Amino acid sequence: MTMANIEYITLGAADPAAAERFYKDAFGLEGGQVRVQLSEEPSSGFRGYTLSIGASQPADVDSLLGTAVDAGAEVLKPAAKSFWGYGGVVRAPDGAVWKVASSSKKDTGPVSRRVDDIVLLLGVADVAASKRFYAGQGFPVARSFGRTYAEFDAEGGVFTLALYRRRALAKDLGVDADGGGSHRITVHSGAGAFTDPDGFVWQGAAAPRP
């Protein structure tokens, strides 16, 4: 089986043009890896996932979170040190929840605002079952902690796919775990089209944008 990886994601928004401006102004993302399309599907509460930007140091985390707030994001968790490093959580105007974090707790150079990677962390009902499902779709498991967490090999791409229990993910993000309707995210990869056990929709990858 060919190894699969995430090529880009598409977020659903009521105002795609405004959402695209937000991602450009907030994080410097301009339609390559993160795309936006019109969505009027009902969606309420927690959408069951987060996108986590990896930065090299706390100063970059602060800079990225600062421009996100300036562009209209809502702070869910202010940036702070933790056991794992330094990071904070915001909700974009379109409703997507983003975490910006660094494994480093100390600055080692000037602010670069470089996005080292993006983790798509799905909140699932059964980590073990979802891990088996994704392994069957061609995503090789990189590391796993029983029924708590699983992460897949990114094959050198920008995105890493990971799984976490839904309620634990919501708690980590500082949001209520309840929610319903559309996830308002479509994931595109070479694995083709399918819907996972928690209702996350995957499609094949279209031609790259110029």
Side-chain angles (χ1 to χ4, degrees):
M1 180 178 289
T2 303
M3 290 176 62
N5 69 316
I6 298 172
E7 297 194 20
Y8 61 93
I9 62 166
T10 300
L11 299 176
D15 187 338
E20 287 181 349
R21 287 195 301 273
F22 170 81
Y23 289 115
K24 178 181 178 181
D25 295 343
F27 305 131
L29 301 173
E30 295 189 65
Q33 290 82 29
V34 178
R35 305 181 184 184
V36 184
Q37 67 181 10
L38 175 66
S39 176
E40 297 178 337
E41 295 178 285
S43 181
S44 63
F46 181 41
R47 294 181 182 169
Y49 73 90
T50 188
L51 289 154
S52 182
I53 289 176
S56 60
Q57 60 182 353
D60 292 301
V61 172
D62 288 336
S63 178
L64 289 164
L65 287 174
T67 49
V69 172
D70 289 344
E74 171 194 1
V75 176
L76 298 177
K77 272 193 171 182
K81 289 183 180 179
S82 69
F83 178 78
W84 300 106
Y86 182 85
V89 181
V90 296
R91 179 159 31 219
D94 62 80
V97 176
W98 288 76
K99 186 173 188 177
V100 184
S102 172
S103 59
S104 174
K105 298 180 185 180
K106 297 180 67 175
D107 293 326
T108 57
V111 175
S112 70
R113 291 181 54 82
R114 186 179 71 245
V115 174
D116 292 334
D117 56 27
I118 303 175
V119 177
L120 171 59
L121 186 51
L122 304 181
V124 301
D126 186 330
V127 171
S130 291
K131 180 179 71 173
R132 290 193 298 271
F133 175 85
Y134 278 105
Q137 298 297 326
F139 290 85
V141 178
R143 56 179 177 156
S144 176
F145 300 96
R147 293 182 174 275
T148 303
Y149 178 84
E151 184 178 300
F152 300 87
D153 193 331
E155 268 201 312
V158 172
F159 287 93
T160 297
L161 172 65
L163 310 172
Y164 200 27
R165 289 174 298 181
R166 180 185 172 99
R167 290 199 172 275
L169 176 58
K171 182 178 180 180
D172 178 66
L173 299 173
V175 300
D176 190 293
D178 292 336
S182 173
H183 294 296
R184 288 200 179 183
I185 182 172
T186 303
V187 191
H188 301 266
S189 80
F194 59 87
T195 299
D196 83 353
D198 293 275
F200 289 99
V201 175
W202 290 66
Q203 296 289 342
R209 288 189 178 183

